[in-house]
Amino acid sequence: MSQEPIVSGAQRKVNIFADLVQDMRYALRMLAKNPAFTTIAIIALALGIGANSAIFSVVNAVLLRPLPFKHPEQLVMVWENAAHMGFPKIHRRPPTF
């Protein structure tokens, strides 16, 4: 398969699929030529994708989904003022209830 030389500024047919296949073949040849770089790149991609999906799972579960209660807007947090003991804002202790 012979290709015509590309002259700068000249009009040429655009074959996106053929260009993509040619670029992919070139990329695979370069990756096969440098196996250490390929391994490091694959590990970096795997770690990045894994960390991204783990963080999204936590954010989705904690922040984006509604709480599993019938009326979550009615939930409250009760605090106790114990400034005289050096704790201006602490959770209520069971004996206080």
Side-chain angles (χ1 to χ4, degrees):
M1 173 161 101
S2 66
Q3 291 190 354
E4 302 172 7
I6 299 173
V7 180
S8 179
Q11 295 286 333
R12 79 175 194 125
K13 283 186 174 180
V14 177
N15 189 350
I16 295 173
F17 184 71
D19 290 343
L20 179 66
V21 170
Q22 183 179 6
D23 289 344
M24 292 300 293
R25 289 179 64 200
Y26 177 73
L28 290 174
R29 276 197 315 268
M30 291 299 109
L31 288 174
K33 195 183 273 190
N34 300 316
F37 172 77
T38 303
T39 304
I40 292 171
I42 289 173
I43 290 171
L45 283 170
L47 287 174
I49 291 169
N52 189 18
S53 62
I55 290 173
F56 175 76
S57 297
V58 170
V59 167
N60 186 33
V62 173
L63 299 176
L64 301 178
R65 287 191 183 173
L67 294 173
F69 302 109
K70 287 186 180 181
H71 301 285
E73 68 278 358
Q74 295 178 353
L75 293 175
V76 295
M77 174 69 81
V78 180
W79 300 95
E80 182 176 357
N81 185 359
H84 62 282
M85 295 187 319
F87 303 105
K89 191 176 184 183
I90 61 172
H91 292 286
R92 285 271 188 177
R93 294 173 291 167
T96 310
F97 281 110

